Amino acid sequence: MEMWIKEMQIEGAAMTYKVNETLLRKKTEFQDLAIVDTPSFGRMLVLDGIVQTTIKDEFIYHEMITHIPLFTHPNPKKVLVVGGGDGGAIREILKHPSVEKAVLCEIDGDVIEACKKYLPEISCALDDKRCEVFVGDGIKYVKDHKNEFDVIIVDSTDPFNMAEGLFGGNFYRDIFDALTEEGIFIAQTETPYFLPDTVNKVFNDAKKIFPVTKMFMAGIPTYPGGYWSFTVGSKKHDPSKVDTSKIKIQDMKYYTPELHNACFVLPQYVKDVIGEK
Amino acid sequence: MEMWIKEMQIEGAAMTYKVNETLLRKKTEFQDLAIVDTPSFGRMLVLDGIVQTTIKDEFIYHEMITHIPLFTHPNPKKVLVVGGGDGGAIREILKHPSVEKAVLCEIDGDVIEACKKYLPEISCALDDKRCEVFVGDGIKYVKDHKNEFDVIIVDSTDPFNMAEGLFGGNFYRDIFDALTEEGIFIAQTETPYFLPDTVNKVFNDAKKIFPVTKMFMAGIPTYPGGYWSFTVGSKKHDPSKVDTSKIKIQDMKYYTPELHNACFVLPQYVKDVIGEK
Amino acid sequence: MEMWIKEMQIEGAAMTYKVNETLLRKKTEFQDLAIVDTPSFGRMLVLDGIVQTTIKDEFIYHEMITHIPLFTHPNPKKVLVVGGGDGGAIREILKHPSVEKAVLCEIDGDVIEACKKYLPEISCALDDKRCEVFVGDGIKYVKDHKNEFDVIIVDSTDPFNMAEGLFGGNFYRDIFDALTEEGIFIAQTETPYFLPDTVNKVFNDAKKIFPVTKMFMAGIPTYPGGYWSFTVGSKKHDPSKVDTSKIKIQDMKYYTPELHNACFVLPQYVKDVIGEK
Amino acid sequence: MEMWIKEMQIEGAAMTYKVNETLLRKKTEFQDLAIVDTPSFGRMLVLDGIVQTTIKDEFIYHEMITHIPLFTHPNPKKVLVVGGGDGGAIREILKHPSVEKAVLCEIDGDVIEACKKYLPEISCALDDKRCEVFVGDGIKYVKDHKNEFDVIIVDSTDPFNMAEGLFGGNFYRDIFDALTEEGIFIAQTETPYFLPDTVNKVFNDAKKIFPVTKMFMAGIPTYPGGYWSFTVGSKKHDPSKVDTSKIKIQDMKYYTPELHNACFVLPQYVKDVIGEK
């Protein structure tokens, strides 16, 4: 029996994956949660029908959303991840010896439990003593914490429905306030190819608030278009002009010090999308 | 009536596209040729079931496979494209004022005719007086021309069946001989994510022959994995260390002078695939 | 390149067909019209995404919707087909030597033209001198003709959108009036398995008007559920109790005299659907 | 997340079903076993990718494969089912008060366990004290029992791979010997529309051995073509000429006494397939 799932990427184009086994399927308080095992990408976390992360290609997303801001900040001690219930960002954050505390604020506790059970390769660091897991609303959490985090990572689902409030001006203002003096914010900001309007808005919302706002790209096979944007908002340090000569990496499969600055060099159409010259 | 085509990317993962209309379907002497119109990517050229180029995202591939070698060479006058019957590479090559002659050597004349008729946005320069179209075997053509071309571009289908001879040592040796003293070779070299063994072999075959061999990546939505590799073999000039200060571009939507060198900075896993440090 | 069409049969179940070639695709004044060639059923007429008839299995539908009423009527001379633009019913009707005139009243002239060109095996009798083709509204046509036809065949698309008026009480009243004294009406009346409410309503609407109303079934591979109902309304003769001893058939592949009465013996669930004992 | 399974019915035509949940998936000693829950047909038993039985339409197959032979035999006391691990045939057999013993001989014990757990509506009678379940090879079982069963029902998967030995002359000879004097054999014998050669061979193999051999049809939505054949081989009684006046039925949704003889009246093409006049 062949079983397939399909993820619509844009009107008239979809990715479809064969599924060996459905390990978990649950309607949580917030979303349709599934863990499936696939021949192409291994186990996958699928939320509301959208592939979030897979055993085989998760390293790309998780390395880039963490090491870019953490190697930009001179001495990151306290880091907040909003969303990211799979734990992949936490795992990468804790590779930085300077980090004393990494808080995960995920609204859906079922996602955390599912990933702990079925995706241990990704969630393995959630039990680290430097990690604090908080199940609750990220928007409120950020509002309630001022001048506290050196890095804030918004590792959310797409900017529709539930996650809509995690994209845009008001939330970014609160993030700014929750960051320390040299603080750095990063968010996954979708595909400039398929969603130019969304990417334009999100980038420029951030730009209105942060002194330095930059976008970089990474090639992620399971995300629509295969080429994904991330936006960095920084109070002081330019993430695209980091002195990478002293960066020491361990166990990384995508991020390299050379790539740190190079990934910010954008194709012309992406510059056009966000209105950069 | 909804009509869809499906392209298997790897065992258990496929892209599927809704088709508005099949403009042409023909068994040519060499392959199953189709031009379909889709809501997601506009008109598409599909050969043996594999999407080759689309109206909406062709600019990425065609700009990167041409401008990287042509802006690396100090004064490209004569350029050869092996394959590339859609004419997109020719269109980009002829944006370079130094070019006096661009030869297209495509084995399947039906591809050229189909693209002239149905994809004029891509094939428009095939009638330029500086362009010479030769319908025939690229392997033989290259073998028969010595010390003649400043740039040779291998714009082929995947390295299976018909196109297999366009990937690998013997052909690259003949390309080396067909190039002039400062000559540069480039080929599309597939997806390092899905086909690491193929990419490794092709890159290292080129590396054995060319003094300088470098790989770069570009994000292409309709190619498997969305993140595609190109290999440049050069007799003299390093394509990743070009002085881009004097590059003048026109009408480009992906290539930028800043990206010229930056795109050669590879993710760690791609370096691992090709055995680079 | 593999191209497939999909016909949703019921929520969560669909038939999907590989398409070799799209011979015609047109938005007519009334519907989305397509003629496709398939490996499984040969050429197909597809209207608004629903398979209407195919070269390979059309004989079942066309034989049963015509020969049951025509062999029930003692001497059918004038026959009306409402819908049926493919011409298959006309072809079968004209196998009856008693028939002097067969009128086709089809609202969509493009369907007739398409079938004449691409489905000659089905449409071949539309040029017969005993056949009169009228392009126009069947509801109005029936209303305008009184006491004229010995048999009226409603060979329509599904009872949604455009064809809705062809199912139900008011139309059946007009059909009754358009029939001669021993007149017989037949309509394709959908799948009792998937659409029990529709089938119940249509059958009982007919039953209120005709002295004798009976349902029979036929196995049709390309129709949802594979087992299709037809309703016969008759002024005098019981179509399920025909003396078949003198029936002479020619070139029939589904209908047999023995099957004529037997096909009216319904499974229990179909009897339940229409409220028969 | 939408998950679908697809069953290829013939080259280029497939049924596809949305799956709510996979209740069980197991590689047994003999086959790929799955129980899935679907919105269209409820829970389904799927073996090697082929839908075997569903909660919603199983009544058709199970009633017709049992009541036709059991109401043909004047006094069936001992009945054997070869295959039929879902228990549906047993459930129907035990509606006949004359039956003293019903033996189920199923080769794959995992099928029985799965259906007991997940399809209790179908398997409910397997625990009846008149039912004896034997897990083992049906071919050997039949060979080892002579002159013992009044009715033998072959309720198998398709005649490929594992089940091939359950279709054809040698097995039918042993069945003949295992039957009592007035014994009756029945088998599901596939789709005459899609598999004419198979149906012809199986029917005529039976015909060489049994004095009376007849085929009947039933409309089954989840089987390819929707219109399925069954072959009855009988030592004495003609199953198509049963005096049905005294038949008392209970809880039946497809079988009726009137349908008993009528279902043997075949469409012309089916008669042609099996070489009957």
Side-chain angles (χ1 to χ4, degrees):
Chain A
M1 188 181 66
E2 290 212 355
M3 196 173 284
W4 290 71
I5 56 172
K6 187 193 279 192
E7 179 182 328
M8 198 59 57
Q9 298 200 336
I10 191 178
E11 169 68 20
M15 268 299 293
T16 175
Y17 301 100
K18 189 176 165 182
V19 169
N20 292 329
E21 196 182 351
T22 305
L23 298 162
L24 179 71
R25 184 83 189 265
K26 186 176 184 179
K27 298 277 173 191
T28 75
E29 190 185 340
F30 300 97
Q31 53 203 337
D32 173 16
L33 162 65
I35 309 273
V36 296
D37 184 45
T38 69
S40 52
F41 287 93
R43 276 158 284 132
M44 281 182 175
L45 170 66
V46 185
L47 297 177
D48 286 340
I50 309 292
V51 175
Q52 300 297 318
T53 198
T54 81
I55 289 295
K56 290 208 184 158
D57 80 342
E58 57 92 11
F59 69 94
I60 304 170
Y61 178 89
H62 289 132
E63 290 184 10
M64 294 305 275
I65 204 169
T66 54
H67 302 312
I68 294 288
L70 284 155
F71 282 129
T72 298
H73 194 286
N75 188 27
K77 291 184 175 171
K78 207 165 169 192
V79 181
L80 170 65
V81 178
V82 177
D86 54 61
I90 293 290
R91 183 195 62 200
E92 295 301 312
I93 290 164
L94 295 180
K95 288 181 179 172
H96 291 255
S98 68
V99 172
E100 295 167 0
K101 191 172 188 181
V103 178
L104 181 83
C105 179
E106 161 68 52
I107 201 167
D108 193 342
D110 285 324
V111 169
I112 298 170
E113 291 314 306
C115 295
K116 276 189 171 177
K117 182 161 181 191
Y118 294 106
L119 306 174
E121 301 90 333
I122 302 176
S123 61
C124 50
L126 290 175
D127 293 326
D128 189 288
K129 65 178 191 293
R130 290 179 293 163
C131 174
E132 180 185 315
V133 175
F134 178 83
V135 176
D137 180 7
I139 295 173
K140 186 168 183 309
Y141 189 94
V142 168
K143 210 187 281 287
D144 290 349
H145 291 75
K146 303 291 181 198
N147 191 31
E148 185 171 334
F149 293 100
D150 302 314
V151 173
I152 295 180
I153 294 169
V154 180
D155 177 7
S156 71
T157 53
D158 296 331
F160 314 114
N161 308 321
M162 185 176 70
E164 203 167 2
L166 299 180
F167 291 79
N170 290 336
F171 183 52
Y172 296 167
R173 170 57 59 196
D174 291 335
I175 283 176
F176 187 93
D177 294 341
L179 286 168
T180 53
E181 199 179 342
E182 298 179 281
I184 298 172
F185 149 74
I186 185 170
Q188 70 83 357
T189 46
E190 306 289 316
T191 155
Y193 186 84
F194 285 132
L195 297 175
D197 294 344
T198 300
V199 173
N200 176 286
K201 182 190 175 303
V202 168
F203 181 82
N204 284 291
D205 275 5
K207 199 175 171 183
K208 282 176 202 136
I209 288 161
F210 290 92
V212 183
T213 303
K214 293 284 169 76
M215 176 170 282
F216 69 89
M217 304 293 295
I220 304 178
T222 54
Y223 283 7
Y227 195 51
W228 208 248
S229 81
F230 297 82
T231 294
V232 183
S234 177
K235 288 191 173 180
K236 184 170 173 191
H237 304 284
D238 184 337
S240 69
K241 288 177 183 157
V242 168
D243 172 7
T244 59
S245 61
K246 290 173 188 163
I247 289 179
K248 290 208 183 71
I249 59 170
Q250 50 172 327
D251 294 333
M252 292 174 193
K253 291 187 286 179
Y254 193 92
Y255 178 90
T256 73
E258 295 74 27
L259 196 61
H260 187 119
N261 294 323
C263 68
F264 284 93
V265 182
L266 301 176
Q268 186 59 48
Y269 85 90
V270 181
K271 292 169 72 177
D272 293 343
V273 161
I274 60 175
E276 296 287 287
K277 278 170 204 163
Chain B
M1 189 182 65
E2 291 212 353
M3 196 173 285
W4 291 72
I5 55 171
K6 187 192 279 191
E7 179 183 327
M8 199 59 58
Q9 299 199 335
I10 191 179
E11 168 68 21
M15 267 300 292
T16 174
Y17 301 98
K18 189 176 165 182
V19 169
N20 293 328
E21 195 181 350
T22 306
L23 299 162
L24 179 70
R25 184 84 188 263
K26 186 176 183 179
K27 298 276 173 192
T28 74
E29 190 185 339
F30 301 98
Q31 52 203 335
D32 173 15
L33 162 66
I35 308 273
V36 295
D37 184 45
T38 69
S40 52
F41 287 93
R43 276 158 285 131
M44 280 182 175
L45 169 66
V46 185
L47 298 177
D48 286 340
I50 309 292
V51 176
Q52 300 297 317
T53 198
T54 82
I55 289 295
K56 290 207 186 158
D57 80 341
E58 58 91 11
F59 69 93
I60 304 170
Y61 177 89
H62 290 131
E63 290 185 11
M64 294 304 275
I65 204 169
T66 54
H67 301 312
I68 294 288
L70 283 154
F71 282 129
T72 299
H73 193 285
N75 188 27
K77 291 185 176 172
K78 207 166 168 193
V79 181
L80 170 65
V81 178
V82 176
D86 54 62
I90 293 290
R91 183 195 62 202
E92 294 301 313
I93 289 163
L94 295 180
K95 289 181 180 172
H96 291 256
S98 69
V99 172
E100 295 167 0
K101 190 173 189 182
V103 177
L104 181 82
C105 179
E106 161 67 54
I107 201 166
D108 192 342
D110 286 324
V111 169
I112 297 169
E113 291 314 306
C115 295
K116 277 190 173 177
K117 182 162 181 190
Y118 294 106
L119 306 174
E121 302 91 331
I122 303 176
S123 61
C124 50
L126 290 174
D127 293 327
D128 189 286
K129 63 179 191 292
R130 290 179 292 161
C131 174
E132 179 187 316
V133 175
F134 179 83
V135 176
D137 179 6
I139 295 173
K140 185 167 183 313
Y141 188 94
V142 168
K143 210 187 280 285
D144 290 349
H145 291 76
K146 302 293 182 198
N147 190 32
E148 185 171 336
F149 295 100
D150 301 313
V151 172
I152 296 179
I153 294 170
V154 180
D155 177 7
S156 71
T157 53
D158 296 330
F160 313 113
N161 308 322
M162 185 177 69
E164 202 167 3
L166 299 180
F167 292 78
N170 290 336
F171 183 52
Y172 296 166
R173 169 59 59 196
D174 290 335
I175 283 176
F176 187 94
D177 293 342
L179 286 168
T180 53
E181 201 179 342
E182 298 178 281
I184 298 173
F185 149 73
I186 185 170
Q188 69 84 359
T189 45
E190 305 289 317
T191 155
Y193 186 84
F194 285 133
L195 297 175
D197 294 345
T198 300
V199 174
N200 175 285
K201 180 186 176 305
V202 168
F203 180 82
N204 284 290
D205 276 5
K207 198 174 172 183
K208 281 177 202 135
I209 288 161
F210 289 93
V212 184
T213 304
K214 292 284 168 76
M215 175 170 283
F216 70 90
M217 304 292 296
I220 303 177
T222 52
Y223 284 5
Y227 196 52
W228 208 247
S229 81
F230 296 82
T231 295
V232 183
S234 177
K235 288 192 172 178
K236 184 171 173 191
H237 304 283
D238 186 336
S240 68
K241 289 179 183 154
V242 167
D243 172 8
T244 59
S245 60
K246 288 173 191 162
I247 289 179
K248 290 207 182 72
I249 59 170
Q250 50 173 328
D251 294 334
M252 292 173 194
K253 292 187 285 180
Y254 193 91
Y255 178 89
T256 74
E258 294 74 28
L259 195 61
H260 187 119
N261 295 323
C263 68
F264 284 93
V265 181
L266 300 176
Q268 186 59 48
Y269 86 89
V270 181
K271 293 168 72 178
D272 292 344
V273 161
I274 60 176
E276 295 289 285
K277 278 170 204 161
Chain C
M1 188 182 65
E2 291 212 355
M3 196 172 284
W4 291 72
I5 55 171
K6 187 193 278 193
E7 178 183 329
M8 199 61 57
Q9 300 201 334
I10 192 178
E11 168 67 23
M15 268 299 293
T16 175
Y17 301 99
K18 189 176 166 182
V19 169
N20 292 329
E21 194 180 350
T22 305
L23 298 162
L24 179 71
R25 183 85 188 263
K26 185 176 183 179
K27 298 278 173 190
T28 75
E29 191 184 339
F30 301 97
Q31 51 205 336
D32 173 16
L33 163 65
I35 309 273
V36 296
D37 184 44
T38 69
S40 52
F41 287 93
R43 276 158 284 131
M44 281 182 174
L45 169 66
V46 186
L47 298 177
D48 286 339
I50 309 293
V51 176
Q52 301 297 318
T53 199
T54 81
I55 289 295
K56 290 207 185 157
D57 80 342
E58 58 91 12
F59 70 93
I60 304 171
Y61 177 89
H62 289 131
E63 291 185 9
M64 294 305 274
I65 204 168
T66 55
H67 302 313
I68 294 288
L70 284 155
F71 282 128
T72 299
H73 194 285
N75 187 30
K77 291 183 178 172
K78 208 166 169 192
V79 181
L80 170 65
V81 177
V82 177
D86 52 62
I90 294 291
R91 183 195 61 200
E92 295 300 313
I93 290 163
L94 295 180
K95 289 181 180 172
H96 291 255
S98 69
V99 172
E100 294 166 1
K101 191 174 190 180
V103 178
L104 182 83
C105 179
E106 161 67 53
I107 201 166
D108 193 342
D110 285 324
V111 170
I112 298 169
E113 292 314 305
C115 296
K116 275 189 174 177
K117 182 161 181 191
Y118 294 108
L119 306 174
E121 301 90 331
I122 303 177
S123 61
C124 49
L126 290 174
D127 294 326
D128 188 288
K129 63 179 191 292
R130 290 179 291 161
C131 174
E132 180 186 316
V133 175
F134 179 83
V135 176
D137 180 6
I139 295 173
K140 185 166 184 313
Y141 189 94
V142 168
K143 210 187 281 284
D144 291 349
H145 292 75
K146 302 292 180 198
N147 190 32
E148 186 171 335
F149 294 100
D150 302 314
V151 172
I152 296 180
I153 295 169
V154 180
D155 177 6
S156 71
T157 53
D158 297 330
F160 314 112
N161 309 321
M162 185 177 69
E164 202 166 3
L166 299 181
F167 291 78
N170 291 336
F171 184 53
Y172 296 166
R173 169 58 59 192
D174 291 335
I175 283 175
F176 186 93
D177 295 341
L179 286 168
T180 52
E181 202 179 339
E182 299 179 279
I184 298 172
F185 149 73
I186 185 169
Q188 70 84 356
T189 47
E190 305 290 315
T191 155
Y193 186 85
F194 284 132
L195 296 175
D197 294 345
T198 300
V199 173
N200 176 285
K201 180 188 177 304
V202 168
F203 181 81
N204 284 290
D205 276 5
K207 198 176 172 182
K208 281 176 203 137
I209 288 160
F210 290 92
V212 184
T213 304
K214 293 284 169 74
M215 176 170 282
F216 70 88
M217 305 292 297
I220 303 178
T222 53
Y223 284 7
Y227 196 52
W228 207 249
S229 80
F230 297 82
T231 294
V232 183
S234 178
K235 289 192 173 180
K236 185 171 172 191
H237 305 284
D238 185 336
S240 69
K241 288 177 183 157
V242 168
D243 172 7
T244 59
S245 60
K246 290 172 189 163
I247 290 179
K248 290 207 184 72
I249 58 169
Q250 51 173 326
D251 294 335
M252 292 175 193
K253 292 187 285 179
Y254 193 91
Y255 178 88
T256 74
E258 296 73 28
L259 196 61
H260 187 120
N261 295 322
C263 69
F264 284 93
V265 182
L266 301 176
Q268 186 58 48
Y269 85 91
V270 180
K271 292 167 73 178
D272 293 343
V273 161
I274 60 175
E276 296 287 287
K277 279 171 203 162
Chain D
M1 188 182 67
E2 291 213 355
M3 195 174 285
W4 291 72
I5 55 171
K6 187 192 279 193
E7 178 183 329
M8 199 59 59
Q9 299 200 335
I10 192 179
E11 169 67 22
M15 268 300 292
T16 174
Y17 301 99
K18 189 176 165 183
V19 169
N20 293 328
E21 195 181 350
T22 306
L23 298 161
L24 178 71
R25 183 86 188 263
K26 185 176 182 179
K27 298 276 173 192
T28 75
E29 190 184 340
F30 300 97
Q31 51 204 336
D32 173 15
L33 162 65
I35 309 274
V36 296
D37 184 45
T38 70
S40 52
F41 287 93
R43 277 158 283 131
M44 280 182 175
L45 169 66
V46 185
L47 298 178
D48 286 339
I50 309 292
V51 176
Q52 300 297 317
T53 199
T54 82
I55 289 295
K56 290 207 184 157
D57 81 342
E58 58 93 10
F59 70 92
I60 304 170
Y61 177 88
H62 289 131
E63 290 184 11
M64 294 304 275
I65 204 170
T66 54
H67 301 314
I68 294 290
L70 284 155
F71 282 128
T72 299
H73 194 285
N75 187 28
K77 291 184 176 170
K78 206 164 168 192
V79 181
L80 170 65
V81 178
V82 176
D86 53 63
I90 293 290
R91 183 194 62 200
E92 295 301 313
I93 290 164
L94 295 179
K95 289 181 180 172
H96 291 255
S98 69
V99 171
E100 295 167 0
K101 191 172 189 181
V103 177
L104 181 83
C105 178
E106 162 67 55
I107 202 167
D108 193 341
D110 285 324
V111 169
I112 298 170
E113 291 315 305
C115 295
K116 277 189 172 178
K117 182 162 182 190
Y118 294 106
L119 305 174
E121 301 91 332
I122 302 176
S123 62
C124 50
L126 289 175
D127 293 326
D128 189 288
K129 64 179 190 291
R130 289 180 292 162
C131 175
E132 179 185 317
V133 175
F134 178 83
V135 176
D137 179 6
I139 295 173
K140 186 168 181 312
Y141 188 93
V142 168
K143 211 188 281 284
D144 291 348
H145 292 76
K146 302 293 180 197
N147 192 33
E148 185 172 335
F149 294 100
D150 302 315
V151 173
I152 295 179
I153 294 168
V154 180
D155 177 7
S156 71
T157 52
D158 296 331
F160 312 114
N161 309 323
M162 186 176 69
E164 204 168 1
L166 300 180
F167 292 78
N170 290 336
F171 184 51
Y172 296 166
R173 169 58 60 195
D174 291 334
I175 282 177
F176 186 94
D177 294 341
L179 286 168
T180 52
E181 202 179 340
E182 298 179 281
I184 298 172
F185 148 74
I186 185 170
Q188 70 84 358
T189 46
E190 306 289 317
T191 156
Y193 186 84
F194 285 133
L195 297 175
D197 294 345
T198 300
V199 173
N200 175 286
K201 181 189 176 302
V202 168
F203 180 82
N204 284 291
D205 275 6
K207 198 174 171 183
K208 281 177 202 134
I209 288 162
F210 290 93
V212 184
T213 303
K214 293 283 168 74
M215 175 170 282
F216 70 89
M217 304 293 296
I220 303 178
T222 52
Y223 284 6
Y227 197 51
W228 208 249
S229 80
F230 296 83
T231 295
V232 183
S234 177
K235 288 190 173 180
K236 185 172 171 191
H237 305 284
D238 185 336
S240 68
K241 289 178 182 155
V242 168
D243 172 7
T244 59
S245 60
K246 291 174 188 161
I247 289 179
K248 291 207 182 72
I249 59 169
Q250 51 173 329
D251 294 334
M252 292 174 193
K253 292 187 285 180
Y254 193 91
Y255 179 89
T256 73
E258 294 73 29
L259 196 60
H260 187 119
N261 295 323
C263 69
F264 284 93
V265 181
L266 301 176
Q268 186 59 47
Y269 85 89
V270 181
K271 292 168 76 178
D272 293 343
V273 160
I274 60 175
E276 295 288 286
K277 279 171 202 158

